[in-house]
Amino acid sequence: MDKRPKRSRDKYNPYILHSEKSKNIYRVSFSNIHKLENIKISKKIFDQLDEFEKEDARQIQEMKRHYEQNTVTESTLNKRAVDKPKDVDEIVIKNIYNEKLAKALETLTKEQRRRILLYYDYQLTMEEIARIEGCAKQSVQESIEWGIKKLKKFFEKF
């Protein structure tokens, strides 16, 4: 029974090695045009083919580790040029700001918070918000204005 580990194989590798060490039988099988050939070989030839297979597996692993996996096209290059990765400083500052904003929104009433989110995040008009909530546009406008004043006060503290 063959107890060799599974290896990454090149798709162009034409042969498969088999061994039964208990019986000292070594074989190589490969696909002929019409059928699968299975040939007995000596241990020396088996070891040589095994080394070639190991080297192929090493090269495949090297390629997987070091080469870029996605295709490089003109559009991906343009995207990389335009959408540059952010610095760690920018990411940290943005996270701190988002945490402060979340805390500030918690100080608002549910109604103010909902209306401000609908207005700024979902970009609904005040008329649309009033229609959804079944109230007057004026009450939505006042609620948003009062909520913004509370948020400004909250941020002035910091």
Side-chain angles (χ1 to χ4, degrees):
M1 206 50 154
D2 193 8
K3 297 201 178 195
R4 294 178 315 119
K6 286 269 188 192
R7 297 185 185 130
S8 299
R9 290 176 45 90
D10 187 356
K11 65 181 178 180
Y12 299 111
N13 185 346
Y15 61 86
I16 300 171
L17 296 173
H18 307 279
S19 68
E20 293 180 38
K21 290 185 180 181
S22 61
K23 298 178 183 178
N24 288 332
I25 298 174
Y26 302 97
R27 294 179 289 127
V28 63
S29 58
F30 57 92
S31 179
N32 196 343
I33 295 175
H34 302 292
K35 63 179 181 170
L36 183 70
E37 297 287 336
N38 198 356
I39 299 174
K40 284 187 182 180
I41 56 174
S42 68
K43 170 126 175 66
K44 187 176 179 180
I45 293 173
F46 178 85
D47 290 340
Q48 283 294 315
L49 289 172
D50 192 41
E51 281 302 313
F52 289 139
E53 211 174 66
K54 285 179 189 176
E55 183 59 32
D56 275 350
R58 279 189 217 109
Q59 288 178 359
I60 289 169
Q61 290 303 317
E62 175 107 7
M63 286 173 45
K64 285 181 181 177
R65 276 194 303 269
H66 297 290
Y67 292 137
E68 191 172 14
Q69 295 297 316
N70 51 354
T71 58
V72 179
T73 62
E74 189 173 337
S75 63
T76 57
L77 290 174
N78 287 336
K79 185 175 181 184
R80 288 181 195 167
V82 173
D83 299 334
K84 294 180 181 175
K86 294 180 181 176
D87 293 334
V88 173
D89 298 343
E90 291 176 19
I91 295 169
V92 169
I93 290 169
K94 186 176 180 181
N95 287 342
I96 291 170
Y97 176 76
N98 286 340
E99 287 175 14
K100 285 182 182 178
L101 182 60
K103 287 179 183 176
L105 287 172
E106 288 175 7
T107 64
L108 302 176
T109 65
K110 288 182 182 180
E111 187 176 85
Q112 288 173 333
R113 184 174 37 241
R114 181 181 63 242
R115 289 177 178 175
I116 286 175
L117 290 175
L118 287 173
Y119 186 71
Y120 288 103
D121 282 354
Y122 294 98
Q123 298 179 344
L124 296 178
T125 64
M126 291 186 193
E127 292 86 8
E128 291 171 327
I129 296 170
R131 196 173 330 115
I132 290 169
E133 294 186 352
C135 63
K137 174 191 167 195
Q138 187 65 28
S139 65
V140 171
Q141 185 176 358
E142 288 174 3
S143 178
I144 290 174
E145 287 172 1
W146 281 104
I148 290 172
K149 285 180 185 177
K150 281 185 183 178
L151 292 175
K152 283 181 181 178
K153 283 183 183 177
F154 182 86
F155 281 107
E156 286 173 359
K157 292 178 187 176
F158 290 100

